[in-house]
């Protein structure tokens, strides 16, 4: 009891500001929240002061968002364009994740390893360079956009996911072998099942690449609208407040996406969070 | 277990063998080096483990660091193939031996790897079910083990939440869940304080005594612990040239039959003068030569 009291006193004596600037400093939830607020305030201050004159002011961006929200012309409204892009993002990320996870897991079988490497090398090639190939395989519009996004994201996702598979300790494989597991049991128990939480991390990280690609893909396929086509159109007419309004919305969606993936990991694989904390 | 198989308490007078459990014959193992040459880790490495009547077998392979103990372990467990020689294991029928296959021999690796995505209970039941055991029977056996080895509270814990000692116990029990009797423990005393070494010795004895066919091969450099727990101790080491430099290729340099010495299965072994003599001999005379 006395030891606990002493420990509490010592904890109370910790200077949160001092800890905040130490390597691996230990800060509580309160200090962490305050630090986040300080950074947000700093960001907003710089934006309001606007040292880079090319940036529209926050109030101009917010006004532009409100205007876009009220726009009821077909294919022009904020809600419609966000919906089109978000749908493309969800479908593209979904397809890319399924394809990539299969290619990555198959990398433990030697016959598939050269294919896996080739897919990884393709990430250096800009996807829009294959525009004509996609055009000849898919009809213009939604199918072509989904195909381009899926393919482009898969090149990056396969690279990240194959990295996770490559990092599986050999000892885990040997543990399964000495326990008498056959190849399929090893594949499932050593390769697939334990790496699923890390695969969610990889999808979350690469979803950001998806947003970069979406804007490029929607610029090439503007028939259905979407955030990319809107950014292109407003940039061409020098309406920067609208452009940054859409960028701000992408930022908000990205934060929500991150929270969604984090929640999924917490719900589906609780042990992974315990392991991370340990 | 029949009456004849029953594990008897206390020391035994002499070794009554039911035959050979495992035979390692003239194993050599060379590894390719970066400069194109090869490094000979083992050369003419041989040992035999007999089934001792009414007792489990606990054999130690003792040697200094770098002597080739881990290479020997990997070959005995069929995780690596030898460059020459063979390892044979009994197929359960007296005097019938066959080449060892991966999975025949359980291994408790040094850092006690477990399936981190399964809780403790599932870490025990999954290997048994994969080996063909009925799910209900596997669960009952796992719960019995958890109870016997003071791990009931840890049943639903994730491996990352276990202490080092708990992890070691789960790793051993995991190997026991399959109906196998031959288990290798890689450096089970490494990095432990005297109290915990004693706990591990007791744990191994407790597990081993569950079945007379249980055979533990302990890979260690801890002379005292090896002598306390074992019925046979093999010293693994390398010959020296005339300048005293080690010649590549480790082999069994000496064998101590602690049953014949009257030291095996003795709880009071540390009080027996012969124990101190052998320990001194290994530490002061044999180890420096290895």
């Amino acid at each position: 009891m006395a030891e606990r009291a002493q420990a509490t006193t010592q904890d109370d004596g910790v200077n949160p500001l001092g800890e905040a600037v130490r390597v691996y400093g230990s800060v509580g939830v309160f200090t962490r929240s305050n630090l986040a607020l300080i950074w947000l305030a700093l960001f907003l201050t710089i934006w309001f002061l606007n040292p880079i004159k090319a940036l529209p002011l926050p109030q101009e961006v917010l006004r532009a968002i409100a205007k876009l929200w009220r726009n009821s012309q077909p294919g022009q409204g904020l809600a419609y364009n966000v919906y089109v892009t978000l749908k493309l993002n969800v479908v593209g990320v979904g397809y890319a994740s399924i394809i990539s996870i299969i290619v990555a897991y198959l990398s433990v079988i030697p016959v598939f390893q050269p294919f896996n490497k080739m897919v990884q090398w393709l990430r250096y090639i800009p996807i829009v360079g294959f525009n004509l190939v996609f055009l000849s395989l898919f009809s213009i519009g939604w199918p072509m956009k989904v195909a381009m996004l899926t393919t482009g994201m898969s090149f990056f996702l396969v690279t990240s996911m194959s990295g996770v598979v490559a990092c599986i300790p050999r000892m885990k494989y040997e543990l399964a072998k000495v326990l008498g597991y056959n190849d399929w049991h090893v594949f499932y128990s050593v390769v697939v099942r334990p790496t699923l939480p890390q695969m969610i991390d990889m999808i979350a990280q690469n979803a950001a690449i998806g947003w970069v690609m979406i804007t490029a893909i929607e610029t090439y396929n503007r028939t259905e609208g979407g955030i990319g086509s809107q950014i292109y159109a407003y940039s061409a007419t020098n309406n920067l407040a609208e452009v940054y309004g859409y960028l701000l919305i992408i930022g908000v969606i990205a934060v929500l996406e991150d929270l969604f993936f984090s929640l999924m990991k917490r719900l589906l694989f609780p042990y992974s969070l315990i392991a991370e904390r340990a | 277990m029949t009456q004849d198989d029953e594990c008897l308490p206390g020391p035994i007078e002499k070794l009554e063998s039911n035959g050979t459990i495992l035979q390692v014959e003239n194993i050599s193992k060379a590894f390719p080096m970066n400069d194109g040459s090869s490094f000979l880790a083992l050369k003419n490495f041989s040992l035999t483990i007999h089934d001792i009547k009414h007792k489990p077998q606990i054999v130690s392979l003792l040697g200094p660091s770098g002597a080739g103990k881990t290479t020997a372990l990997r070959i005995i467990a069929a995780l690596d193939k030898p460059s020459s020689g063979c390892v044979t294991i009994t197929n359960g029928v007296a005097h019938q031996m066959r080449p060892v296959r991966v999975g025949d021999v359980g291994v408790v690796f040094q850092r006690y790897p477990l399936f981190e995505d399964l809780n403790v209970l599932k870490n025990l039941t999954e290997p048994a079910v994969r080996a063909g055991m009925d799910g209900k029977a596997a669960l009952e056996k796992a719960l019995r083990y958890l109870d016997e080895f003071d791990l009931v509270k840890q049943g639903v814990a994730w491996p990352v939440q276990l202490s080092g000692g708990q992890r070691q116990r789960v790793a051993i029990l995991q190997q026991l869940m399959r109906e196998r009797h031959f288990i290798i423990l890689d450096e089970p005393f490494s990095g432990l304080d005297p109290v915990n070494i004693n706990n591990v010795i007791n744990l191994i004895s407790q597990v081993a005594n569950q079945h007379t066919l249980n055979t533990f091969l302990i890979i260690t450099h801890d002379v005292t612990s090896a002598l306390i727990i074992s019925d046979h101790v093999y010293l693994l080491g390398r010959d020296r040239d005339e300048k005293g430099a080690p010649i590549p290729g480790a082999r069994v340099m000496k064998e101590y039959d602690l049953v014949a010495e009257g030291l095996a299965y003795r709880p009071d072994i540390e009080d027996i003068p012969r124990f101190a003599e052998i320990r001194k001999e290994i530490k002061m005379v044999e180890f420096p030569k290895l």
Side-chain angles (χ1 to χ4, degrees):
Chain A
M1 201 61 186
E3 280 174 15
R4 187 181 293 178
Q6 196 180 359
T8 310
T9 313
Q10 280 173 355
D11 285 347
D12 290 343
V14 170
N15 174 7
L17 282 179
E19 282 294 307
V21 293
R22 277 186 58 207
V23 177
Y24 293 119
S26 170
V27 290
V29 177
F30 182 70
T31 310
R32 204 175 288 280
S33 311
N34 282 341
L35 287 172
L37 286 175
I38 289 168
W39 277 105
L40 184 65
L42 190 66
F43 169 75
L44 288 173
T45 307
I46 292 170
W47 195 7
F48 273 108
L49 293 175
N50 203 3
I52 306 164
K53 296 300 170 196
L55 271 177
L57 287 165
Q59 59 269 33
E60 292 171 338
V61 173
L62 292 176
R63 268 201 299 271
I65 291 174
K67 199 176 99 190
L68 290 168
W69 178 255
R70 287 193 302 269
N71 192 336
S72 57
Q73 284 183 320
Q76 294 295 310
L78 177 79
Y80 170 77
N81 284 295
V82 169
Y83 167 74
V84 167
T85 305
L86 198 56
K87 192 171 98 174
L88 177 61
N89 179 257
V90 170
V91 173
V93 169
Y95 281 148
S97 302
I98 293 166
I99 293 167
S100 305
I101 211 165
I102 292 170
V103 175
Y105 282 146
L106 288 178
S107 69
V108 297
I109 304 171
V111 74
F112 293 109
Q113 283 165 0
F115 173 71
N116 179 287
K117 276 284 169 215
M118 282 191 300
V119 173
Q120 290 189 42
W121 289 330
L122 284 170
R123 74 187 186 278
Y124 291 104
I125 312 291
I127 192 70
V128 287
F130 295 104
N131 226 0
L132 282 176
V133 177
F134 283 104
L135 202 56
S136 59
L137 291 172
F138 303 94
S139 54
I140 198 157
W142 172 256
M144 186 172 158
K145 285 197 292 186
V146 171
M148 286 181 83
L149 182 62
T150 302
T151 312
M153 275 198 70
S154 296
F155 296 153
F156 288 91
L157 260 176
V158 166
T159 306
S160 310
M161 289 176 164
S162 300
V164 170
V165 173
C167 286
I168 296 169
R170 186 169 175 79
M171 193 161 280
K172 298 283 178 187
Y173 158 76
E174 292 184 341
L175 170 69
K177 291 306 281 183
V178 298
L179 284 169
Y181 284 26
N182 65 28
D183 276 359
W184 284 113
H185 291 155
V186 171
F187 182 69
Y188 175 67
S189 299
V190 176
V191 180
V192 177
R193 196 181 59 203
T195 57
L196 286 174
Q198 287 154 285
M199 293 308 182
I200 289 183
D201 286 340
M202 294 303 117
I203 295 168
Q205 283 172 23
N206 285 277
I209 295 170
W211 280 101
V212 175
M213 282 182 189
I214 278 175
T215 46
I217 290 166
E218 285 184 337
T219 304
Y220 279 86
N221 295 267
R222 293 195 294 274
T223 48
E224 291 180 320
I227 292 177
S229 72
Q230 292 293 295
I231 288 175
Y232 176 81
Y234 284 116
S235 296
T237 51
N238 211 25
N239 288 307
L240 289 182
E242 280 78 2
V243 172
Y244 283 92
Y246 273 116
L247 292 181
L248 193 62
I249 284 163
I250 290 177
V252 171
I253 294 171
V255 170
L256 293 175
E257 258 187 12
D258 261 3
L259 289 173
F260 169 75
F261 285 122
S262 171
L263 185 69
M264 249 178 71
K265 200 171 146 184
R266 191 185 296 258
L267 289 175
L268 297 175
F269 311 106
Y271 68 89
S272 65
L273 295 172
I274 296 167
E276 279 169 19
R277 282 190 214 119
Chain B
M1 206 187 312
T2 64
Q3 187 67 31
D4 196 42
D5 290 335
E6 206 171 325
C7 203
L8 298 181
I12 53 175
E13 295 301 317
K14 60 176 182 152
L15 192 152
E16 270 189 79
S17 174
N18 282 341
T20 303
I21 288 180
L22 181 108
Q23 188 149 31
V24 180
E25 287 176 281
N26 289 320
I27 293 290
S28 292
K29 178 69 181 175
F31 293 101
M33 303 292 284
N34 289 341
D35 61 1
S37 64
S38 66
F39 171 74
L40 191 62
L42 297 174
K43 187 182 177 186
N44 299 330
F45 166 62
S46 299
L47 66 83
T48 304
I49 298 175
H50 296 282
D51 177 18
I52 303 171
K53 207 171 179 184
H54 300 307
K55 286 288 180 190
Q57 295 67 229
I58 304 180
V59 177
S60 288
L61 187 60
L62 194 57
S65 299
K69 300 191 295 293
T70 302
T71 305
L73 172 157
R74 295 182 62 81
I75 289 172
I76 293 170
L79 288 169
D80 278 342
K81 283 183 181 161
S83 306
S84 65
C86 68
V87 181
T88 50
I89 192 166
T90 176
N91 65 0
V93 182
H95 309 299
Q96 283 190 12
M97 305 289 283
R98 61 166 174 76
V100 71
R101 292 187 294 245
V102 67
D104 285 340
V105 175
V107 180
V108 178
F109 293 101
Q110 201 171 348
R111 289 180 186 171
Y112 319 120
L114 296 168
F115 297 116
E116 303 295 327
D117 54 319
L118 297 180
N119 66 26
V120 167
L121 193 58
K122 286 201 172 151
N123 258 286
L124 299 186
T125 54
E126 189 188 85
V129 171
R130 292 256 195 267
M133 191 186 281
D134 172 61
K136 198 179 163 198
L139 182 64
E140 280 170 9
K141 188 174 181 181
L143 289 171
R144 199 177 67 240
Y145 274 149
L146 291 179
D147 186 35
E148 277 177 46
F149 293 91
D150 198 22
L151 286 164
V152 173
K153 283 182 187 165
Q154 282 73 36
V156 290
W158 303 104
V160 74
Q161 295 173 305
L162 301 177
S163 70
Q166 290 167 342
R167 211 178 161 90
Q168 186 183 41
R169 270 180 280 166
V170 175
I172 294 173
L173 296 180
Q174 188 183 51
Q175 297 295 329
L176 288 173
M177 282 300 292
R178 293 196 66 215
E179 298 291 331
R180 267 182 321 196
H181 297 292
F182 199 109
I183 292 172
I184 304 178
L185 291 123
D186 189 13
E187 299 284 5
F189 315 111
S190 181
L192 298 179
D193 59 60
V195 174
N196 277 309
I197 286 178
N198 217 28
N199 290 341
V200 174
I201 289 172
N202 291 335
L203 169 71
I204 295 170
S205 302
Q206 187 188 355
V207 175
N209 277 305
Q210 294 200 327
H211 201 293
T212 60
L213 281 179
N214 279 352
T215 304
F216 280 24
L217 175 59
I218 297 170
I219 309 287
T220 183
H221 58 257
D222 186 330
V223 179
T224 306
S225 305
L227 287 173
I228 291 173
I229 200 167
S230 308
D231 51 72
H232 279 76
V233 172
Y234 292 94
L235 294 189
L236 186 70
R238 288 164 292 183
D239 290 311
R240 303 258 168 179
D241 62 17
E242 57 273 16
K243 289 178 185 166
I247 300 168
R251 63 182 176 86
V252 171
M253 307 292 279
K254 196 162 185 177
E255 178 189 350
Y256 288 90
D257 180 350
L258 300 180
V259 177
E261 295 278 358
L263 295 174
Y265 318 109
R266 299 280 298 258
D268 59 341
I269 182 171
E270 286 179 274
D271 302 329
I272 301 169
R274 182 65 186 139
F275 167 82
E277 283 171 29
I278 293 177
R279 182 172 62 177
K280 191 175 174 186
E281 183 183 307
I282 294 175
K283 279 188 172 177
M284 308 304 287
V285 183
E286 299 298 338
F287 248 54
K289 289 195 291 187
L290 303 177

